[in-house]
């Protein structure tokens, strides 16, 4: 195997440009090429980070944001599963509900905020609902298309072997639809992160999004950047969890790639 | 369960099939005796698959109907199985689990036995994706037979296989048919294959049964002069039509040729 084929090399290569950029950043801010009140040195960001962490403040903000994303994701996923399955399997419901959902999809996320605050107050419910809406659409759309475009030929195999109703769904439709559902869940999660920022910027007293606006109003860029970096890290981490979960759900595809055999 | 006759009695009664304005089949009348092996040949697009799908219950007849053991079928008959040209294995199930799909009570031992019959026990735990085309088709055959069908419908199941694999599969199908005595309806574009396997060969032309010949050769069949006789008989019958259709043909529009 060539050295360039090794996984470690490939991963290391992905870190190269970010590290160079960070180096240039640090250099520019300590030598004064960049105004420190706009581009604080990395060391200051790190200092801000450890200060916030030590005071327990950061943990609190991070925790509430993660909680909102999680709760919104679960709620959005649940509704998407119900409506996706209903509209996917029963044409009646599809004709009844899908046009309305497609229309609602076109409302920009921020446009919901005033209404939700009016209806649901400024506390958690309105934020989680907003995030749930963001999660809902990609999951719903992927699931619906997945169900509708399931290979008829495989369903015929189910029919000729006497599979009907629930058994047909469990053994044929569900596994055939799973890849698009997993894809939808992944984009739903990234929408969840987008919407949590929207929700927290609009009005919150806690959360990473709040921390950012706080940094902005008090003129502390290090705080803004700390939150940005945390968004990047936790967005990536949760996405990795999602990919891992997907590979468990789609075990047959994973095994085929890695060449493992299924244990009986 | 009755052990004397294991095959279904198949009756296709004055059956027609239209898709919109397109008449695909008309006045098809065919009887398959229990345990009989019938091959259907004909040019591409003549309606062979459509006929098979009607018998399978996957399509509804526009006129007439399909009767199995004296009863008209409305949907798929529980004792009918289909082997499609593409094996249609489920990528999310192992080879053995794919065979198990065909077992009526889900008993894994029956799946193992069916897989053994097609000689693929050693691949039981693998994914269908890693098998060759011929192996996949054997798994599909095991799946179809695992439910002890009384009527097996085969739609060009060997069409995509190489010549050697094809001969092996033909022998396997013949052997399993001999052992299990189900009624078989095989669609094929290969006249030699039809003569090799079938008790009767039926030719479909322009949506109608144009020709019906009993293959009186004893089994196992050798490729001798008698075999060649039947092969030529059927091929000539298909080709006469071709000549008649060509512009230089002088036979005109008459549909009824005798041989
Ligand atoms: N679902 C369908 N809708 C419309 N036309 C069809 C359909 N299925 C088959 N046909 C038409 O019926 C004719 C016979 O098809 P088929 O039975 O598949 O032929 P064969 O199997 O003999 O090659 C073809 O002309 C085909 O285009
Ligand atoms: Mg066909």
């Amino acid at each position: 195997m060539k050295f360039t084929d090794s996984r470690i090399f490939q991963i290391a290569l992905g870190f190269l440009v970010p590290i160079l950029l960070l180096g240039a950043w640090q250099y520019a801010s300590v030598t004064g090429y960049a105004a420190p009140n706009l581009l604080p040195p990395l060391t200051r960001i790190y200092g801000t980070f450890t200060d916030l962490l030590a005071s327990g403040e950061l943990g609190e903000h991070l925790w509430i944001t993660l909680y909102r994303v999680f709760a919104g994701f679960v709620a959005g996923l649940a509704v998407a599963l119900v409506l996706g399955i209903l509209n996917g399997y029963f044409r009646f419901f599809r004709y009844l509900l899908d046009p309305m959902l497609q229309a609602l999809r076109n409302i920009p996320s921020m446009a919901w905020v005033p209404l939700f605050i009016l209806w649901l107050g400024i506390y958690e419910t309105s934020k989680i609902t907003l995030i749930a809406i963001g999660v809902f659409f990609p999951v719903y759309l992927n699931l619906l298309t997945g169900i509708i475009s399931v290979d008829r030929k495989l369903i015929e195999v189910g029919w000729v072997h006497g599979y009907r109703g629930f058994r047909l769904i469990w053994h044929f439709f569900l596994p055939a639809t799973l890849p698009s559902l997993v894809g939808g869940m992944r984009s739903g999660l990234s929408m969840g992160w987008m919407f949590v920022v929207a929700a927290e910027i609009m009005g919150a007293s806690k959360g990473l999004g709040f921390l950012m606006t706080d940094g902005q109003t008090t003129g502390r860029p290090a705080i803004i950047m700390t939150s940005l970096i945390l968004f990047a890290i936790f967005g990536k981490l949760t996405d990795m969890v999602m990919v891992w979960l997907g590979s468990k759900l789609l075990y047959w595809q994973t095994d085929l790639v890695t060449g493992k055999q299924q244990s009986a | 369960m009755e052990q004397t006759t294991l095959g279904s009695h198949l009756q296709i009664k004055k059956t027609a099939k239209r898709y919109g304005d397109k008449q695909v089949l008309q006045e098809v009348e065919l009887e398959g005796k229990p345990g009989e092996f019938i091959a259907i040949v004909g040019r591409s697009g003549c309606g062979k698959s459509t006929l098979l799908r009607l018998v399978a219950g996957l399509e509804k007849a526009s006129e007439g109907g399909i009767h199995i053991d004296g009863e008209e079928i409305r949907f798929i008959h529980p004792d009918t199985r289909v082997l499609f040209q593409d094996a249609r294995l489920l990528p999310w199930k192992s080879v053995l689990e794919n065979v198990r799909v065909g077992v009526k009570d889900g008993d894994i031992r029956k799946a193992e036995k069916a897989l053994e019959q097609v000689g693929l026990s050693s691949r039981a735990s693998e994914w269908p994706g890693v098998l060759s085309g011929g192996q996949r088709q054997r798994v599909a055959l095991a799946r179809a037979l695992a439910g002890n069908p009384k009527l097996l419908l085969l739609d060009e199941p060997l069409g995509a296989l190489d010549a050697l694999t094809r001969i092996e599969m033909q022998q396997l199908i013949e052997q399993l048919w001999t052992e299990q005595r189900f009624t078989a309806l095989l669609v094929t574009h290969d006249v030699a294959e039809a003569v090799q396997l079938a008790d009767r060969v039926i030719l479909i032309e322009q949506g109608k049964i144009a020709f019906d010949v009993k293959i009186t050769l004893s089994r196992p069949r050798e490729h001798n002069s008698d075999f060649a006789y039947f092969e030529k008989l059927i091929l000539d019958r298909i080709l006469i039509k071709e000549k008649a259709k060509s512009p230089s043909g002088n036979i005109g529009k008459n549909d009824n040729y005798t041989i």
Side-chain angles (χ1 to χ4, degrees), chain B residues 1 14 68 88 114 126 166 206 209 224 238:
Chain B
M1 201 198 279
K14 287 242 176 278
I68 288 177
R88 302 193 186 183
E126 286 178 47
R166 209 149 142 172
Q206 295 179 343
I209 292 184
N224 54 22
I238 300 175

Side-chain angles (χ1 to χ4, degrees), chain A residues 186-197:
Chain A
R186 210 176 150 194
S187 25
L189 185 65
S190 76
M191 286 305 266
W193 278 102
M194 279 173 64
F195 277 53
V196 80
V197 178

Side-chain angles (χ1 to χ4, degrees), chain A residues 2-254:
Chain A
K2 271 191 294 184
F3 173 65
T4 49
D5 287 339
S6 86
R7 187 78 189 114
I8 295 172
F9 175 78
Q10 288 169 355
I11 292 174
L13 203 59
F15 279 102
L16 185 66
V17 175
I19 288 174
L20 284 178
L21 282 176
L22 288 175
W25 173 351
Q26 176 71 6
Y27 179 77
S29 49
V30 289
T31 52
Y33 279 123
N37 64 327
L38 295 180
L39 195 67
L42 285 175
T43 39
R44 172 122 47 94
I45 294 179
Y46 181 73
T48 310
F49 171 74
T50 44
D51 285 353
L52 283 171
L53 196 65
S55 69
E57 214 182 322
L58 189 63
E60 215 175 318
H61 290 304
L62 185 60
W63 173 248
I64 189 80
T65 297
L66 281 173
Y67 161 75
R68 284 169 185 153
V69 172
F70 180 76
F73 180 76
V74 170
L77 177 66
V79 180
L81 282 177
V82 171
L83 286 179
I85 289 172
L86 208 61
N87 295 0
Y89 294 124
F90 305 102
R91 265 188 304 174
F92 174 78
F93 288 103
R94 184 151 79 243
Y95 296 147
L96 186 72
L97 299 173
D98 193 54
M100 179 185 70
L101 291 170
Q102 298 289 350
L104 290 178
R105 185 166 71 101
N106 291 312
I107 300 176
S109 56
M110 291 299 215
W112 290 106
V113 174
L115 196 63
F116 283 174
I117 289 179
L118 194 67
W119 282 351
L120 304 166
I122 55 165
Y123 298 108
E124 292 310 306
T125 325
S126 63
K127 294 187 182 60
I128 288 171
T129 310
L130 183 69
I131 297 163
I133 291 216
V135 173
F136 169 80
F137 282 106
V139 180
Y140 167 76
L141 290 174
N142 273 281
L143 182 58
L144 185 66
T145 6
I147 294 175
I148 294 173
S149 56
V150 163
D151 190 354
R152 285 284 126 187
K153 289 178 160 191
L154 291 185
I155 301 307
E156 279 183 4
V157 169
W159 285 339
V160 298
H161 289 98
Y163 286 72
R164 305 278 183 278
F166 174 74
R167 289 180 69 228
L168 189 68
I169 291 179
W170 181 253
H171 287 277
F172 291 81
F173 271 107
L174 192 74
T177 320
L178 220 45
S180 31
L181 175 63
V182 167
M185 281 163 70
R186 210 176 150 194
S187 25
L189 185 65
S190 76
M191 286 305 266
W193 278 102
M194 279 173 64
F195 277 53
V196 80
V197 178
E200 289 178 348
I201 285 182
M202 288 308 286
S205 51
K206 267 183 211 154
L208 288 181
F210 163 76
L211 204 60
M212 284 170 81
T213 38
D214 194 42
Q216 183 207 339
T217 46
T218 56
R220 286 178 296 172
I223 288 192
I224 302 181
M225 284 171 182
T226 305
S227 340
L228 274 181
I229 292 168
L230 285 174
F231 270 125
I233 291 174
F234 279 88
K236 180 69 187 165
L237 279 180
T238 50
D239 186 55
M240 280 162 72
V241 171
M242 208 62 230
V243 169
W244 173 83
L245 194 72
S247 73
K248 290 289 141 194
L249 284 172
L250 305 175
Y251 57 90
W252 70 90
Q253 293 182 348
T254 326

Side-chain angles (χ1 to χ4, degrees), chain B residues 191-250:
Chain B
V191 173
E193 183 171 288
V195 176
Q196 178 74 43
L197 291 174
D199 298 321
R200 249 168 97 197
V201 177
I202 279 153
L203 171 66
I204 297 187
E205 244 167 27
Q206 295 179 343
K208 287 181 184 158
I209 292 184
F211 186 42
D212 183 342
V213 62
K214 272 202 159 54
I215 310 294
T216 49
L217 304 171
S218 60
R219 293 174 193 267
R221 289 175 179 165
E222 307 278 331
H223 282 247
N224 54 22
S225 58
D226 290 340
F227 190 100
Y229 163 78
F230 279 108
E231 208 179 333
K232 186 171 178 335
L233 179 72
I234 298 163
L235 264 175
D236 283 352
R237 179 61 187 78
I238 300 175
L239 294 176
I240 279 178
K241 194 72 184 186
E242 275 308 289
K243 264 192 213 138
K245 262 199 277 184
S246 72
S248 58
N250 52 3

